[in-house]
Amino acid sequence: MPIRRLAAEERLTTSFPLQAYAFEASPLTGERVEAFHRYLPYNKGNRTLVVEEGGETRAAASAIPMRQNLRGRVLPMAGVAGVATHPLARRQGHVRALLHQLLDEMRDEGHRISALYPFRAGFYERFGYVGLPRARTVRFSPADLGPLLRADLPGEVTWERIGAGYAGYRAFTERCLWERHGFAIFPDFRAVGLRDRDDRWLVTARIDGTTLGVLTYRIDDHGGELHGDDLLVDGPYARALLLQFLARHVDQVERISLQVPADELPELWLTDLAVHVEARVSRPGSPAPMARLLSVDALAGLPAGPGRVRVELVDDRWLGGTHLLDGTTGQLELTSGGSAPSATLTAAGLSALAYGVLDPAEVAVRGLGTVGPEAAAELRRLFPRQLPYLFADF
């Protein structure tokens, strides 16, 4: 069946209804259909492909042109979203055809890596994607933050609507993009939706005039819950300033929830803090993100340890051939061809090492490659374990 790219306004009657059926309550209400019109401008730069039959959309998939930090380098990243199939056209290969063409086109435009939130991880692993850590949800009582109210902390906090403080918030996420492995942010045309909806409060921690922490949140009701989004901080003082602000809500809300990266340890924030930390992954409904390399060139110049190994890349549309990976200079250098490889990797296997989520031995155990002990030792030196934090939720 033919695949074509949609014009922006076509999404209202083609891809949007199909995606809504797949991922939302249905049938759609009139209010939700009206919301499509408000949502449309924030999709203007997306690339959306559809399969059609008899004038009806049978499947759709979109890519958002984003940026992501891979071990210290910020690269163009294709954020795959809105992958959906008509209920009468499922399991007919439409999504496979769409993803092949979509990623072909994004790769040709310079996107060297890709990420997504899967409807089923096993399906996307066959496309070379590997799982990333899911953000943790932290819940606690504001009463347990009481000791922070007596703490003399350097710096100050400001409080405003996100619509008013969006520029500063966006600037801080840009800084996080350049400093944090795995961090990804939306392009401007999509990110401004947060400003325009203006449905969050923003609290900002500054020390010596420099922004070192931000948190957006909403409160559902008096005596209810303060729902925080991602707690973005640079250092313990910024985190303490934001938690001190939350402590002042002790007589207003019963609970506070926040999102934190996988390497954060809320149980160590304070003595006697009763905290529930959860990373829930379920199918369907609550997936962990996944990512992959779309080009071997994404590795060139990355910070690397002093390892040296020749690998063969197999079973993938975009990654292939034999490559010498050399990190002896401190930056990863690649040379194609050469002698017999020491390890064989699938795209998911190489992506797992590059993103730092699996040890070489785990790559072999998971069936994502064949890696002997000597090759594993070199790959371990080249790609030290490092937990990525995707941040962007799409």
Side-chain angles (χ1 to χ4, degrees), residues 157-169 198-206 211 214-217 245:
V157 298
T158 58
W159 175 67
E160 58 196 330
R161 292 281 287 265
I162 184 60
Y166 173 77
Y169 174 85
D198 198 20
D199 60 355
R200 294 288 194 275
W201 293 106
L202 168 66
V203 57
T204 303
R206 295 184 179 90
T211 297
V214 296
L215 174 69
T216 57
Y217 69 92
F245 171 83

Side-chain angles (χ1 to χ4, degrees), residues 7-48:
E9 62 278 4
E10 290 183 280
R11 297 186 179 105
L12 292 171
T13 56
T14 55
S15 62
F16 282 5
L18 202 60
Q19 293 162 20
Y21 179 81
F23 301 113
E24 301 182 23
S26 63
L28 290 172
T29 63
E31 181 181 359
R32 182 57 181 144
V33 172
E34 181 61 31
F36 288 166
H37 293 266
R38 298 192 297 271
Y39 183 58
L40 186 61
Y42 309 111
N43 289 260
K44 62 184 179 182
N46 292 358
R47 180 181 297 267
T48 299

Side-chain angles (χ1 to χ4, degrees), residues 23 95-96 107 127 132 146 168 245 278 280 306 310 387 390:
F23 301 113
V95 168
R96 175 176 294 276
R107 186 177 185 270
F127 286 90
L132 304 183
F245 171 83
E278 179 183 46
R280 182 174 180 269
R310 194 178 303 278
L387 283 179
L390 184 60

Side-chain angles (χ1 to χ4, degrees), residues 4-232:
R4 72 178 182 93
R5 183 177 179 180
L6 293 181
E9 62 278 4
E10 290 183 280
R11 297 186 179 105
L12 292 171
T13 56
T14 55
S15 62
F16 282 5
L18 202 60
Q19 293 162 20
Y21 179 81
F23 301 113
E24 301 182 23
S26 63
L28 290 172
T29 63
E31 181 181 359
R32 182 57 181 144
V33 172
E34 181 61 31
F36 288 166
H37 293 266
R38 298 192 297 271
Y39 183 58
L40 186 61
Y42 309 111
N43 289 260
K44 62 184 179 182
N46 292 358
R47 180 181 297 267
T48 299
L49 303 182
V50 294
V51 172
E52 294 177 321
E53 181 183 23
E56 185 174 13
T57 303
R58 311 303 284 175
S62 296
I64 309 166
M66 301 173 66
R67 290 173 293 154
Q68 185 180 31
N69 183 312
L70 182 64
R71 293 188 178 268
R73 291 188 64 209
V74 175
L75 300 173
M77 185 268 275
V80 175
V83 180
T85 307
H86 190 286
L88 296 179
R90 292 174 179 173
R91 299 184 180 272
Q92 296 178 23
H94 297 321
V95 168
R96 175 176 294 276
L98 281 174
L99 284 176
H100 281 166
Q101 182 161 326
L102 185 65
L103 293 178
D104 279 349
E105 293 180 8
M106 296 301 285
R107 186 177 185 270
D108 289 345
E109 290 187 357
H111 295 84
R112 294 188 244 173
I113 51 182
S114 178
L116 52 78
Y117 288 81
F119 66 86
R120 179 159 45 88
F123 176 84
Y124 284 102
E125 187 177 82
R126 297 196 294 271
F127 286 90
Y129 288 88
V130 67
L132 304 183
R134 183 167 177 77
R136 272 55 178 159
T137 300
V138 182
R139 290 186 174 87
F140 51 86
S141 167
D144 285 352
L145 301 178
L148 284 173
L149 293 173
R150 300 185 294 273
D152 184 16
L153 300 173
E156 60 181 5
V157 298
T158 58
W159 175 67
E160 58 196 330
R161 292 281 287 265
I162 184 60
Y166 173 77
Y169 174 85
R170 175 68 170 175
F172 189 71
T173 61
E174 284 273 0
R175 174 181 163 185
C176 293
L177 171 68
W178 289 92
E179 295 180 353
R180 180 139 202 168
H181 170 55
F183 204 89
I185 61 173
F186 290 124
D188 288 338
F189 70 81
R190 172 73 174 262
V192 294
L194 180 63
R195 177 199 66 193
D196 297 346
R197 290 189 301 275
D198 198 20
D199 60 355
R200 294 288 194 275
W201 293 106
L202 168 66
V203 57
T204 303
R206 295 184 179 90
I207 298 177
D208 295 329
T210 300
T211 297
L212 294 178
V214 296
L215 174 69
T216 57
Y217 69 92
R218 63 179 178 85
I219 296 173
D220 61 13
D221 202 353
H222 183 74
E225 184 165 342
L226 185 154
H227 298 269
D229 300 309
D230 291 72
L231 181 68
L232 301 178

